[in-house]
Amino acid sequence: MAAVSADQVAKLGTTLTPLGGEKAGNADGTIPAWDGGLKPGAAPVTPNGFLGNPYASEKPLFTITAQNLDQYKSKLSEGQLAMFKRYPETYVMPVYTTHRSASVPENINQAAKISAQKTTLMEGGNGLKDFTDSRYYAFPVPQNGLEVVWNHITRYRGGNLRRTIVQATPQTNGAYTLVNFEDEVSFPTGMSGLAPEKAANALLFFKQRVTAPARLAGNVLLVHDSLDQVAEPRMAWIYNAGQRRVRRAPQVSYDGPGTASDGLRTSDNFDMYNGAPDRYDWKLIGKKEMYIPYNNFQMGLPTVKYSDILKAGHTNQQLARYELHRVWEVEATLKSGERNIYAKRRFFVDEDSWQIAVSEHYDGRGQLWRIGQAMLAQHYEAQAPSYAFEALYDIISGRYLAIGMNNEEKHAFEFGIKTSAADYTPSALRSAGVR
């Protein structure tokens, strides 16, 4: 449970990147050394904030298919292999030159160093101690699997953020209905009017408003997450536009159903994984080289329509980009006596950004059930690791959920928004729903 030694902290920014990845490339040069990542201005940005593709001129080095899979399976996960087996005719992985594009502002690098010196896990591992001086990247030099997962949970997202996103749950024939959300996330260091006693144990505040279709429009979700999630569990409320009532929502945690997800994701599937980790035993398998979705700027272009992305069985892999990167592999096993529809889970976490790139979820029979992938794409203007969207594939039913798409909307993400504690109270939900 202790913070790491001074010698390990000194590696940050020398042999390790400021966030804890290995600075050097691999032996054969297929993974380059980290050179600082993408900077603002890496490619043209539209007036309403949509990023250009800094690697638009590149072509795939090769494409992995069901026919040549044996050549590459040593660098693929069990879930990725299962996707080729489930969709042998259409599922492909175009592999490009690796670019270690992840970067964050210098003050966030310094925050990570403070975390390495001070932050420890609370007894049982389900909360963070001495994290209030930094607030980002709790364990840049992780010692176990739970610390790796906490890095994903506490990673930098560009500060207070507002985004308009779209979710779809295609049927097996590819038919879908779009659900539009307006999301906001705010952090204690970026909020005004937050009482000190509340800020001391606050991790983040999240608000999500449904704007379409009409039958769901006006429903609002509010979440307060804490640093010590056992002593002060997640608090959530829902405003139901039809009833015009605000209610507590204890189901918005763990394996409670995701908003408008047609039963295809749980609450803790959002953002690949979120919430309290106390129902699982976490094991660090190690670090490996793996083909993961990376630099998926093509997927986020406003010229790419939702109909271009959403296909039967899985999203359009011809638009996807995969690269070889080093990832941390973490396995979560449900504790005896605890309940979750996922008995076992695996997460593959990018060493440079601490984002979960690929996830695997197993049912109570030990059968692989759902495979998640985040189409990682660095938001270079905000110097914030991000993604074009995330998808969760149910290989048993043949359906999937895609969430986070922003292509056909009026504006891209808004970073650095000003918020106050009053914006994230239950009493504010009614006005949020009717605006």
Side-chain angles (χ1 to χ4, degrees):
M1 301 292 179
V4 298
S5 68
D7 288 344
Q8 289 174 308
V9 173
K11 294 178 181 179
L12 295 172
T14 55
T15 58
L16 300 178
T17 71
L19 299 184
E22 294 178 47
K23 205 168 188 177
N26 64 356
D28 63 8
T30 51
I31 297 176
W34 183 77
D35 63 0
L38 286 177
K39 300 296 189 293
V45 179
T46 68
N48 49 351
F50 287 95
L51 299 178
N53 182 358
Y55 310 118
S57 63
E58 296 186 355
K59 304 297 182 185
L61 301 174
F62 55 89
T63 298
I64 304 174
T65 67
Q67 288 69 46
N68 65 11
L69 189 58
D70 284 347
Q71 292 178 242
Y72 306 104
K73 65 181 182 181
S74 65
K75 290 183 170 61
L76 298 172
S77 74
E78 182 178 341
Q80 290 173 321
L81 294 172
M83 290 296 290
F84 284 102
K85 184 177 180 180
R86 184 70 167 80
Y87 304 103
E89 302 302 320
T90 58
Y91 195 81
V92 298
M93 289 174 55
V95 178
Y96 290 74
T97 299
T98 297
H99 296 283
R100 297 178 67 180
S101 52
S103 69
V104 298
E106 181 55 30
N107 66 307
I108 305 301
N109 289 332
Q110 294 305 313
K113 198 162 194 173
I114 294 170
S115 294
Q117 294 168 327
K118 293 186 175 183
T119 303
T120 59
L121 290 171
M122 291 182 174
E123 189 67 34
N126 300 312
L128 303 176
K129 292 175 62 178
D130 300 319
F131 187 56
T132 52
D133 290 343
S134 49
R135 295 286 188 180
Y136 293 108
Y137 301 102
F139 304 103
V141 188
Q143 306 299 299
N144 55 60
L146 187 50
E147 291 186 353
V148 171
V149 170
W150 270 111
N151 282 340
H152 168 78
I153 293 171
T154 60
R155 72 191 190 280
Y156 180 65
R157 295 170 172 85
N160 295 353
L161 166 67
R162 181 183 297 117
R163 61 178 189 167
T164 300
I165 60 170
V166 169
Q167 174 180 278
T169 55
Q171 304 293 326
T172 54
N173 64 0
Y176 58 86
T177 299
L178 299 178
V179 179
N180 292 61
F181 300 102
E182 184 181 89
D183 282 359
E184 281 186 15
V185 62
S186 190
F187 298 88
T189 54
M191 297 175 67
S192 63
L194 187 63
E197 61 274 15
K198 180 65 175 177
N201 194 38
L203 177 62
L204 60 82
F205 300 82
F206 176 77
K207 188 162 53 179
Q208 183 180 75
R209 182 171 68 100
V210 183
T211 59
R215 61 185 173 84
L216 299 174
N219 292 343
V220 187
L221 167 66
L222 173 66
V223 175
H224 293 186
D225 268 350
S226 60
L227 297 178
D228 184 346
Q229 300 189 22
V230 175
E232 187 180 346
R234 166 179 286 178
M235 293 189 292
W237 298 263
I238 288 178
Y239 171 72
N240 185 294
Q243 299 174 346
R244 297 190 178 185
R245 294 186 63 182
V246 176
R247 292 183 174 179
R248 285 294 302 269
Q251 75 275 16
V252 182
S253 61
Y254 301 110
D255 58 354
T259 303
S261 66
D262 206 13
L264 288 172
R265 74 167 175 86
T266 61
S267 289
D268 64 8
N269 280 139
F270 184 71
D271 196 34
M272 300 299 282
Y273 181 77
N274 74 91
D278 59 303
R279 293 190 179 179
Y280 289 92
D281 290 318
W282 298 86
K283 179 181 179 182
L284 181 60
I285 305 299
K287 190 182 277 191
K288 62 188 288 186
E289 294 180 5
M290 184 170 155
Y291 295 115
I292 59 174
Y294 221 93
N295 291 314
N296 276 273
F297 297 100
Q298 178 71 20
M299 284 282 202
L301 295 176
T303 54
V304 174
K305 306 301 182 185
Y306 298 134
S307 58
D308 298 329
I309 296 172
L310 300 167
K311 304 297 181 182
H314 54 78
T315 58
N316 186 353
Q317 289 293 104
Q318 300 292 345
L319 294 173
R321 179 184 176 118
Y322 290 80
E323 298 178 0
L324 185 66
H325 286 264
R326 287 184 292 245
V327 297
W328 295 92
E329 181 179 357
V330 177
E331 184 173 280
T333 303
L334 192 64
K335 292 178 179 178
S336 177
E338 293 287 2
R339 182 195 172 282
N340 195 294
I341 62 172
Y342 303 130
K344 185 172 72 173
R345 310 166 89 145
R346 287 199 193 100
F347 299 101
F348 300 89
V349 185
D350 170 40
E351 70 167 341
D352 288 333
S353 66
W354 295 109
Q355 292 184 111
I356 296 173
V358 175
S359 62
E360 298 170 356
H361 309 275
Y362 297 77
D363 63 19
R365 300 167 294 179
Q367 181 177 6
L368 182 60
W369 181 7
R370 291 172 176 169
I371 298 118
Q373 65 174 9
M375 310 307 289
L376 304 186
Q378 171 76 8
H379 201 296
Y380 47 82
E381 288 302 287
Q383 285 194 277
S386 189
Y387 49 76
F389 65 87
E390 56 181 305
L392 189 64
Y393 299 102
D394 186 326
I395 60 169
I396 296 176
S397 72
R399 295 187 62 197
Y400 69 95
L401 175 144
I403 186 171
M405 297 175 291
N406 184 249
N407 307 61
E408 298 181 37
E409 307 312 308
K410 294 180 180 179
H411 299 281
F413 297 0
E414 298 175 64
F415 292 93
I417 63 171
K418 295 182 179 180
T419 62
S420 70
D423 299 327
Y424 293 90
T425 61
S427 59
L429 292 190
R430 181 185 294 273
S431 59
V434 299
R435 66 188 173 90

